[in-house]
Coordinates of all heavy atoms in Angstrom, one line a residue:
R1 N 29.8 -64.1 5.0 CA 28.9 -63.0 5.6 C 28.0 -62.4 4.7 O 26.8 -62.1 4.9 CB 29.8 -62.1 6.3 CG 29.0 -60.8 6.8 CD 29.9 -59.7 7.4 NE 30.1 -60.0 8.8 CZ 30.7 -59.3 9.6 NH1 31.4 -58.2 9.2 NH2 30.8 -59.5 10.9
Y2 N 28.6 -61.9 3.5 CA 27.8 -61.2 2.5 C 27.2 -62.0 1.4 O 26.5 -61.5 0.5 CB 28.6 -60.1 1.8 CG 29.1 -59.1 3.0 CD1 30.4 -59.0 3.4 CD2 28.1 -58.2 3.5 CE1 30.8 -58.1 4.4 CE2 28.5 -57.3 4.6 CZ 29.8 -57.3 5.0 OH 30.1 -56.4 5.9
G3 N 27.7 -63.3 1.3 CA 27.3 -64.2 0.2 C 25.7 -64.3 0.0 O 25.3 -64.1 -1.2
P4 N 24.9 -64.5 1.1 CA 23.5 -64.6 0.8 C 22.8 -63.3 0.2 O 22.0 -63.4 -0.7 CB 22.9 -64.9 2.2 CG 24.1 -65.6 2.9 CD 25.3 -64.9 2.4
M5 N 23.3 -62.2 0.7 CA 22.8 -60.9 0.1 C 23.2 -60.8 -1.4 O 22.3 -60.4 -2.1 CB 23.3 -59.7 0.9 CG 22.9 -58.3 0.5 SD 24.0 -57.6 -0.8 CE 25.5 -57.4 0.0
V6 N 24.5 -61.0 -1.6 CA 24.8 -60.9 -3.0 C 24.2 -61.9 -4.0 O 23.6 -61.6 -5.0 CB 26.5 -61.2 -3.1 CG1 26.9 -61.3 -4.6 CG2 27.2 -60.0 -2.5
L7 N 24.0 -63.1 -3.5 CA 23.3 -64.2 -4.3 C 21.8 -63.8 -4.5 O 21.2 -64.0 -5.5 CB 23.4 -65.6 -3.7 CG 23.0 -66.7 -4.4 CD1 23.7 -66.7 -5.8 CD2 23.3 -68.0 -3.7
G8 N 21.2 -63.2 -3.4 CA 19.8 -62.8 -3.5 C 19.6 -61.7 -4.5 O 18.7 -61.7 -5.3
V9 N 20.6 -60.8 -4.6 CA 20.4 -59.7 -5.6 C 20.6 -60.3 -7.1 O 19.8 -59.9 -7.8 CB 21.6 -58.7 -5.3 CG1 21.7 -57.6 -6.5 CG2 21.3 -57.9 -4.0
L10 N 21.6 -61.2 -7.1 CA 21.8 -61.7 -8.5 C 20.7 -62.6 -9.0 O 20.3 -62.5 -10.2 CB 23.0 -62.5 -8.5 CG 24.3 -61.6 -8.3 CD1 25.6 -62.4 -8.0 CD2 24.6 -60.6 -9.4
R11 N 20.1 -63.4 -8.1 CA 19.0 -64.2 -8.4 C 17.8 -63.5 -8.8 O 17.0 -63.8 -9.7 CB 18.7 -65.2 -7.3 CG 19.7 -66.4 -7.3 CD 19.3 -67.5 -6.3 NE 20.3 -68.6 -6.3 CZ 20.4 -69.4 -5.3 NH1 19.7 -69.3 -4.3 NH2 21.3 -70.3 -5.5
G12 N 17.5 -62.3 -8.1 CA 16.4 -61.6 -8.4 C 16.5 -60.7 -9.7 O 15.5 -60.6 -10.4
A13 N 17.7 -60.4 -10.1 CA 17.9 -59.6 -11.2 C 18.1 -60.5 -12.5 O 17.8 -60.1 -13.5 CB 19.2 -58.8 -11.0
L14 N 18.6 -61.7 -12.3 CA 18.8 -62.5 -13.5 C 17.9 -63.6 -13.8 O 17.8 -64.1 -14.9 CB 20.3 -63.1 -13.4 CG 21.4 -62.2 -13.3 CD1 22.8 -62.9 -13.0 CD2 21.5 -61.4 -14.6
H15 N 17.1 -64.1 -12.9 CA 16.1 -65.1 -13.0 C 16.6 -66.4 -13.7 O 15.8 -67.2 -14.1 CB 14.9 -64.7 -13.9 CG 14.3 -63.3 -13.4 ND1 13.7 -63.2 -12.1 CD2 14.5 -62.1 -13.8 CE1 13.3 -62.1 -11.9 NE2 13.8 -61.2 -12.9
D16 N 17.9 -66.6 -13.7 CA 18.6 -67.8 -14.2 C 19.6 -68.3 -13.1 O 20.5 -67.6 -13.0 CB 19.2 -67.6 -15.6 CG 20.0 -68.8 -16.1 OD1 19.7 -69.9 -15.5 OD2 20.8 -68.6 -17.0
P17 N 19.4 -69.4 -12.5 CA 20.2 -69.8 -11.3 C 21.6 -70.0 -11.8 O 22.6 -69.7 -11.1 CB 19.6 -71.0 -10.9 CG 18.6 -71.5 -11.8 CD 18.2 -70.3 -12.7
H18 N 21.8 -70.5 -13.0 CA 23.1 -70.7 -13.4 C 24.0 -69.4 -13.8 O 25.1 -69.2 -13.4 CB 23.2 -71.5 -14.8 CG 22.6 -72.9 -14.5 ND1 23.1 -73.8 -13.8 CD2 21.5 -73.5 -15.0 CE1 22.4 -75.0 -13.8 NE2 21.3 -74.7 -14.6
A19 N 23.3 -68.4 -14.4 CA 23.8 -67.1 -14.6 C 24.1 -66.4 -13.3 O 25.1 -65.7 -13.1 CB 22.9 -66.2 -15.5
A20 N 23.2 -66.5 -12.3 CA 23.4 -66.1 -10.9 C 24.6 -66.6 -10.3 O 25.4 -65.8 -9.7 CB 22.2 -66.2 -10.2
D21 N 24.9 -67.9 -10.4 CA 26.0 -68.6 -9.8 C 27.3 -68.0 -10.5 O 28.3 -67.7 -9.8 CB 26.0 -70.1 -9.9 CG 24.9 -70.6 -9.0 OD1 24.4 -69.8 -8.1 OD2 24.5 -71.8 -9.4
D22 N 27.2 -67.9 -11.8 CA 28.4 -67.3 -12.5 C 28.7 -65.8 -12.1 O 29.9 -65.5 -11.8 CB 28.3 -67.4 -14.0 CG 28.2 -68.8 -14.5 OD1 28.8 -69.7 -13.9 OD2 27.9 -69.1 -15.7
A23 N 27.7 -65.1 -12.0 CA 27.8 -63.7 -11.6 C 28.3 -63.6 -10.1 O 29.1 -62.7 -9.7 CB 26.5 -62.9 -11.8
F24 N 27.9 -64.5 -9.3 CA 28.3 -64.6 -7.8 C 29.8 -64.7 -7.8 O 30.5 -64.0 -7.1 CB 27.5 -65.7 -7.2 CG 27.8 -65.8 -5.7 CD1 27.2 -65.1 -4.7 CD2 28.8 -66.8 -5.2 CE1 27.5 -65.2 -3.5 CE2 29.1 -67.0 -3.9 CZ 28.4 -66.1 -3.0
Q25 N 30.3 -65.6 -8.5 CA 31.7 -65.9 -8.6 C 32.5 -64.6 -9.1 O 33.5 -64.3 -8.5 CB 32.1 -67.1 -9.4 CG 31.7 -68.3 -8.7 CD 32.0 -69.5 -9.6 OE1 32.7 -69.4 -10.6 NE2 31.5 -70.7 -9.2
A26 N 31.9 -63.9 -10.1 CA 32.5 -62.8 -10.6 C 32.5 -61.6 -9.6 O 33.6 -60.9 -9.5 CB 31.7 -62.3 -11.9
V27 N 31.5 -61.5 -8.8 CA 31.4 -60.4 -7.8 C 32.6 -60.5 -6.8 O 33.3 -59.6 -6.4 CB 30.1 -60.4 -7.2 CG1 30.1 -59.5 -5.8 CG2 29.1 -59.9 -8.0
F28 N 32.8 -61.8 -6.4 CA 33.8 -62.0 -5.3 C 35.3 -62.0 -5.9 O 36.2 -61.8 -5.3 CB 33.5 -63.2 -4.6 CG 32.4 -63.0 -3.5 CD1 31.1 -63.3 -3.8 CD2 32.6 -62.4 -2.4 CE1 30.1 -63.0 -2.9 CE2 31.7 -62.1 -1.5 CZ 30.4 -62.3 -1.7
L29 N 35.4 -62.3 -7.3 CA 36.6 -62.0 -7.9 C 37.0 -60.6 -7.9 O 38.1 -60.1 -7.7 CB 36.6 -62.6 -9.4 CG 36.7 -64.2 -9.4 CD1 36.6 -64.5 -10.9 CD2 38.1 -64.6 -8.9
V30 N 35.9 -59.8 -8.3 CA 36.2 -58.3 -8.1 C 36.6 -57.9 -6.7 O 37.5 -57.1 -6.6 CB 34.9 -57.6 -8.6 CG1 35.0 -56.0 -8.4 CG2 34.7 -57.8 -10.0
L31 N 35.9 -58.4 -5.8 CA 36.3 -58.1 -4.4 C 37.8 -58.5 -4.1 O 38.5 -57.7 -3.5 CB 35.4 -58.8 -3.4 CG 35.8 -58.7 -1.9 CD1 35.7 -57.3 -1.4 CD2 34.9 -59.7 -1.0
A32 N 38.2 -59.7 -4.5 CA 39.6 -60.2 -4.3 C 40.6 -59.1 -5.0 O 41.7 -58.9 -4.4 CB 39.8 -61.5 -4.9
R33 N 40.2 -58.6 -6.2 CA 41.2 -57.8 -6.8 C 41.1 -56.3 -6.3 O 42.1 -55.6 -6.2 CB 40.8 -57.7 -8.3 CG 41.2 -58.9 -9.1 CD 41.2 -58.6 -10.6 NE 39.9 -58.1 -11.1 CZ 38.9 -58.7 -11.6 NH1 39.0 -60.1 -11.7 NH2 37.8 -58.1 -11.9
K34 N 40.0 -55.9 -5.8 CA 39.8 -54.4 -5.4 C 39.6 -54.2 -4.0 O 39.1 -53.1 -3.5 CB 38.7 -53.9 -6.2 CG 38.8 -54.0 -7.7 CD 38.9 -52.7 -8.4 CE 39.1 -53.0 -9.9 NZ 39.0 -51.8 -10.5
A35 N 39.8 -55.2 -3.2 CA 39.5 -55.1 -1.7 C 40.2 -53.9 -1.1 O 39.7 -53.2 -0.2 CB 39.9 -56.4 -0.9
G36 N 41.4 -53.6 -1.5 CA 42.2 -52.5 -0.8 C 41.6 -51.0 -1.2 O 41.9 -50.1 -0.6
T37 N 40.7 -51.0 -2.1 CA 40.2 -49.7 -2.6 C 38.8 -49.4 -2.1 O 38.3 -48.2 -2.2 CB 40.0 -49.7 -4.1 OG1 38.9 -50.7 -4.5 CG2 41.2 -50.0 -4.9
I38 N 38.3 -50.2 -1.1 CA 37.0 -50.0 -0.5 C 37.2 -49.1 0.7 O 38.0 -49.2 1.6 CB 36.4 -51.3 0.1 CG1 36.2 -52.3 -1.1 CG2 35.1 -51.1 0.8 CD1 35.8 -53.7 -0.6
R39 N 36.6 -47.8 0.6 CA 36.6 -46.8 1.6 C 35.3 -46.3 1.9 O 34.4 -46.0 1.0 CB 37.4 -45.5 0.9 CG 38.8 -45.8 0.6 CD 39.7 -46.0 2.0 NE 41.1 -46.2 1.5 CZ 41.7 -47.4 1.6 NH1 41.2 -48.5 2.1 NH2 42.9 -47.5 1.3
P40 N 35.0 -46.2 3.2 CA 35.7 -46.6 4.3 C 35.6 -48.1 4.5 O 34.7 -48.9 3.9 CB 34.9 -45.9 5.5 CG 33.6 -45.8 5.0 CD 33.6 -45.6 3.5
P41 N 36.6 -48.7 5.2 CA 36.7 -50.2 5.1 C 35.5 -50.9 5.6 O 35.3 -52.1 5.3 CB 37.9 -50.4 6.1 CG 38.7 -49.2 6.0 CD 37.7 -48.0 5.8
G42 N 34.6 -50.3 6.5 CA 33.3 -51.0 7.0 C 32.3 -50.9 6.0 O 31.2 -51.5 6.3
S43 N 32.4 -50.4 4.7 CA 31.3 -50.4 3.9 C 31.3 -51.5 2.8 O 30.9 -51.3 1.6 CB 31.3 -49.0 3.1 OG 32.6 -48.9 2.4
V44 N 31.9 -52.7 3.2 CA 32.1 -53.7 2.2 C 30.7 -54.2 1.7 O 30.5 -54.5 0.6 CB 32.7 -55.0 2.9 CG1 32.8 -56.2 2.0 CG2 34.2 -54.5 3.3
G45 N 29.7 -54.2 2.7 CA 28.3 -54.7 2.2 C 27.7 -53.9 1.1 O 27.3 -54.4 0.1
G46 N 27.7 -52.6 1.2 CA 27.2 -51.6 0.2 C 28.1 -51.7 -1.1 O 27.4 -51.6 -2.2
W47 N 29.3 -51.9 -0.9 CA 30.3 -51.9 -2.1 C 29.9 -53.2 -2.8 O 29.7 -53.2 -4.1 CB 31.6 -51.9 -1.6 CG 32.7 -51.9 -2.7 CD1 33.1 -50.7 -3.3 CD2 33.3 -53.0 -3.3 NE1 34.0 -51.1 -4.2 CE2 34.1 -52.5 -4.2 CE3 33.2 -54.3 -3.2 CZ2 35.0 -53.3 -5.1 CZ3 34.0 -55.2 -3.9 CH2 34.9 -54.6 -4.9
L48 N 29.8 -54.4 -2.1 CA 29.4 -55.6 -2.8 C 28.0 -55.5 -3.5 O 27.8 -56.1 -4.5 CB 29.4 -56.7 -1.8 CG 30.9 -57.4 -1.5 CD1 30.7 -58.3 -0.3 CD2 31.4 -58.0 -2.7
Y49 N 27.1 -54.8 -2.8 CA 25.8 -54.7 -3.4 C 25.9 -54.0 -4.7 O 25.2 -54.4 -5.7 CB 24.9 -53.9 -2.4 CG 23.5 -53.7 -2.9 CD1 22.4 -54.7 -2.9 CD2 23.1 -52.5 -3.7 CE1 21.2 -54.5 -3.3 CE2 21.9 -52.3 -4.2 CZ 21.0 -53.3 -4.0 OH 19.6 -53.1 -4.6
G50 N 26.6 -53.0 -4.7 CA 26.8 -52.2 -6.0 C 27.4 -53.0 -7.1 O 27.0 -52.9 -8.3
V51 N 28.4 -53.8 -6.7 CA 29.2 -54.6 -7.7 C 28.2 -55.6 -8.1 O 28.2 -55.9 -9.4 CB 30.4 -55.2 -7.1 CG1 31.1 -56.2 -8.0 CG2 31.5 -54.2 -6.7
A52 N 27.3 -56.2 -7.3 CA 26.4 -57.3 -7.7 C 25.4 -56.7 -8.7 O 25.1 -57.3 -9.8 CB 25.6 -57.8 -6.5
V53 N 24.9 -55.5 -8.4 CA 24.0 -54.9 -9.4 C 24.6 -54.6 -10.8 O 24.0 -55.0 -11.7 CB 23.4 -53.5 -8.8 CG1 22.5 -52.7 -9.8 CG2 22.5 -53.9 -7.5
R54 N 25.8 -54.1 -10.7 CA 26.5 -53.8 -12.1 C 26.8 -55.2 -12.7 O 26.6 -55.2 -14.0 CB 27.7 -53.0 -11.9 CG 27.4 -51.5 -11.4 CD 28.6 -50.7 -11.5 NE 29.6 -51.0 -10.4 CZ 29.5 -50.7 -9.1 NH1 28.4 -49.9 -8.8 NH2 30.4 -51.0 -8.3
T55 N 27.2 -56.1 -12.1 CA 27.6 -57.5 -12.6 C 26.3 -58.0 -13.2 O 26.3 -58.7 -14.3 CB 28.2 -58.4 -11.6 OG1 29.3 -57.8 -11.0 CG2 28.5 -59.7 -12.2
A56 N 25.1 -57.9 -12.6 CA 23.9 -58.5 -13.0 C 23.5 -57.8 -14.3 O 23.0 -58.4 -15.2 CB 22.8 -58.4 -12.0
G57 N 23.7 -56.4 -14.3 CA 23.3 -55.7 -15.7 C 24.1 -56.2 -16.8 O 23.7 -56.3 -17.9
K58 N 25.5 -56.3 -16.5 CA 26.4 -56.8 -17.6 C 26.0 -58.3 -18.0 O 26.1 -58.6 -19.3 CB 27.8 -56.8 -17.1 CG 28.4 -55.4 -16.9 CD 29.8 -55.4 -16.4 CE 30.2 -54.0 -16.1 NZ 31.7 -53.9 -15.6
A59 N 25.6 -59.1 -17.1 CA 25.2 -60.5 -17.5 C 24.0 -60.4 -18.2 O 23.9 -61.3 -19.2 CB 25.0 -61.3 -16.1
R60 N 23.0 -59.7 -17.9 CA 21.7 -59.5 -18.8 C 22.1 -59.0 -20.1 O 21.5 -59.5 -21.1 CB 20.8 -58.5 -18.0 CG 19.9 -59.2 -17.0 CD 18.7 -58.3 -16.6 NE 19.1 -57.0 -16.4 CZ 19.4 -56.3 -15.2 NH1 19.4 -57.1 -14.2 NH2 19.7 -55.1 -15.2
A61 N 22.9 -58.0 -20.3 CA 23.3 -57.4 -21.6 C 24.0 -58.6 -22.4 O 23.7 -58.6 -23.6 CB 24.2 -56.2 -21.4
A62 N 24.9 -59.3 -21.8 CA 25.6 -60.4 -22.5 C 24.7 -61.5 -23.0 O 24.7 -62.0 -24.1 CB 26.7 -61.0 -21.6
A63 N 23.6 -61.8 -22.1 CA 22.7 -62.8 -22.4 C 21.8 -62.3 -23.7 O 21.5 -63.2 -24.5 CB 21.8 -63.2 -21.3
A64 N 21.4 -61.1 -23.6 CA 20.6 -60.5 -24.7 C 21.4 -60.5 -26.0 O 20.9 -60.8 -27.0 CB 20.2 -59.1 -24.4
R65 N 22.7 -60.1 -26.0 CA 23.5 -60.2 -27.1 C 23.6 -61.6 -27.7 O 23.5 -61.8 -28.9 CB 24.9 -59.6 -26.8 CG 25.1 -58.1 -27.0 CD 26.5 -57.8 -27.0 NE 27.3 -58.3 -25.9 CZ 27.4 -57.7 -24.7 NH1 26.7 -56.6 -24.3 NH2 28.1 -58.3 -23.7
R66 N 23.9 -62.6 -26.8 CA 24.0 -64.0 -27.2 C 22.6 -64.5 -27.8 O 22.7 -65.1 -28.8 CB 24.4 -64.7 -25.9 CG 24.7 -66.2 -26.2 CD 25.3 -66.9 -25.1 NE 24.7 -66.6 -23.7 CZ 25.3 -65.7 -22.9 NH1 26.5 -65.1 -23.0 NH2 24.7 -65.5 -21.6
R67 N 21.5 -64.1 -27.1 CA 20.2 -64.5 -27.9 C 20.1 -63.9 -29.2 O 19.5 -64.5 -30.1 CB 19.1 -64.1 -26.9 CG 18.9 -65.0 -25.8 CD 17.4 -64.7 -25.1 NE 17.4 -63.4 -24.6 CZ 17.8 -63.0 -23.4 NH1 18.4 -63.9 -22.6 NH2 17.7 -61.7 -23.1
R68 N 20.4 -62.6 -29.4 CA 20.3 -62.0 -30.7 C 21.2 -62.7 -31.7 O 20.7 -63.0 -32.8 CB 20.6 -60.5 -30.7 CG 19.5 -59.7 -30.1 CD 19.8 -58.2 -30.3 NE 21.0 -57.7 -29.9 CZ 21.3 -57.2 -28.6 NH1 20.3 -57.2 -27.8 NH2 22.5 -56.9 -28.2
H69 N 22.3 -63.0 -31.4 CA 23.3 -63.7 -32.2 C 22.7 -65.1 -32.5 O 22.8 -65.4 -33.7 CB 24.6 -63.7 -31.5 CG 25.7 -64.4 -32.5 ND1 26.0 -65.7 -32.5 CD2 26.5 -63.8 -33.3 CE1 26.9 -65.9 -33.3 NE2 27.2 -64.8 -33.9
E70 N 22.2 -65.8 -31.7 CA 21.7 -67.1 -31.9 C 20.4 -67.1 -32.8 O 20.3 -67.9 -33.6 CB 21.4 -67.8 -30.6 CG 22.6 -68.3 -29.8 CD 22.3 -68.8 -28.4 OE1 21.1 -68.7 -28.0 OE2 23.3 -69.1 -27.8
M71 N 19.7 -66.1 -32.6 CA 18.5 -66.0 -33.4 C 18.9 -65.6 -34.9 O 18.2 -66.0 -35.8 CB 17.4 -64.9 -32.8 CG 16.8 -65.4 -31.6 SD 16.0 -66.9 -31.7 CE 14.6 -66.5 -32.8
A72 N 19.9 -64.8 -35.0 CA 20.3 -64.4 -36.4 C 20.9 -65.5 -37.0 O 20.7 -65.7 -38.3 CB 21.3 -63.3 -36.2
A73 N 21.5 -66.5 -36.3 CA 22.1 -67.6 -36.9 C 21.1 -68.6 -37.3 O 21.2 -69.5 -38.3 CB 23.1 -68.4 -35.9
R74 N 19.9 -68.7 -36.5 CA 18.8 -69.5 -37.0 C 18.1 -69.0 -38.2 O 17.4 -69.9 -38.8 CB 17.9 -69.7 -35.8 CG 18.4 -70.4 -34.6 CD 17.4 -70.7 -33.6 NE 16.3 -71.5 -34.0 CZ 15.0 -71.5 -33.6 NH1 14.7 -70.6 -32.6 NH2 14.1 -72.3 -34.1
T75 N 18.0 -67.8 -38.4 CA 17.2 -67.3 -39.4 C 17.9 -67.6 -40.7 O 19.0 -67.1 -40.9 CB 16.9 -65.7 -39.3 OG1 16.4 -65.6 -37.9 CG2 16.1 -65.2 -40.4
P76 N 17.3 -68.2 -41.7 CA 17.9 -68.5 -43.0 C 18.1 -67.2 -43.8 O 17.3 -66.3 -43.7 CB 17.0 -69.4 -43.7 CG 15.6 -69.2 -43.1 CD 16.0 -68.8 -41.6
A77 N 19.2 -67.2 -44.5 CA 19.5 -66.0 -45.4 C 18.4 -65.9 -46.5 O 18.0 -67.0 -47.1 CB 20.9 -66.1 -45.9
P78 N 18.1 -64.7 -47.0 CA 17.1 -64.7 -48.1 C 17.8 -65.2 -49.4 O 19.0 -65.1 -49.5 CB 16.9 -63.2 -48.1 CG 17.9 -62.5 -47.4 CD 18.5 -63.5 -46.4
P79 N 17.0 -65.8 -50.2 CA 17.5 -66.3 -51.5 C 18.2 -65.2 -52.3 O 17.6 -64.1 -52.5 CB 16.4 -67.0 -52.1 CG 15.2 -66.5 -51.5 CD 15.5 -66.0 -50.2
A80 N 19.2 -65.5 -53.0 CA 19.9 -64.5 -53.8 C 19.2 -64.4 -55.2 O 18.6 -65.5 -55.7 CB 21.3 -65.0 -54.2
P81 N 19.0 -63.2 -55.6 CA 18.2 -63.1 -57.0 C 18.9 -63.7 -58.2 O 20.1 -63.8 -58.2 CB 18.0 -61.6 -57.1 CG 18.9 -60.9 -56.1 CD 19.4 -62.0 -55.2

């Protein structure tokens, strides 16, 4: 029921289909763990939207960290005097 909405949010935020798929799975893992805490029970859609937005932000931050680390590894160390 909510899968297309969650996937749309993630694809729009991440611009990488593989990262969006990974984040999609993460969102529904959060739902599986925290389903009992959703109040009121009919607000699952809004709750999932919020989780998707936060998960996308964390995925973007992790990708940026990974890119910085990879770029640092590519840059040769300056020669020792």
Side-chain angles (χ1 to χ4, degrees):
R1 170 184 270 184
Y2 298 106
M5 180 269 298
V6 170
L7 193 55
V9 168
L10 295 169
R11 284 186 177 160
L14 295 175
H15 307 294
D16 175 12
H18 300 293
D21 290 342
D22 291 343
F24 180 81
Q25 291 179 9
V27 167
F28 284 96
L29 285 174
V30 172
L31 174 62
R33 284 194 309 263
K34 307 251 179 167
T37 66
I38 301 171
R39 297 286 183 253
S43 64
V44 175
W47 187 86
L48 280 172
Y49 179 86
V51 172
V53 169
R54 286 187 296 280
T55 302
K58 290 178 184 179
R60 276 195 315 266
R65 274 192 309 273
R66 191 169 35 257
R67 279 192 302 274
R68 281 194 306 271
H69 184 267
E70 289 171 356
M71 291 305 292
R74 286 184 68 204
T75 306

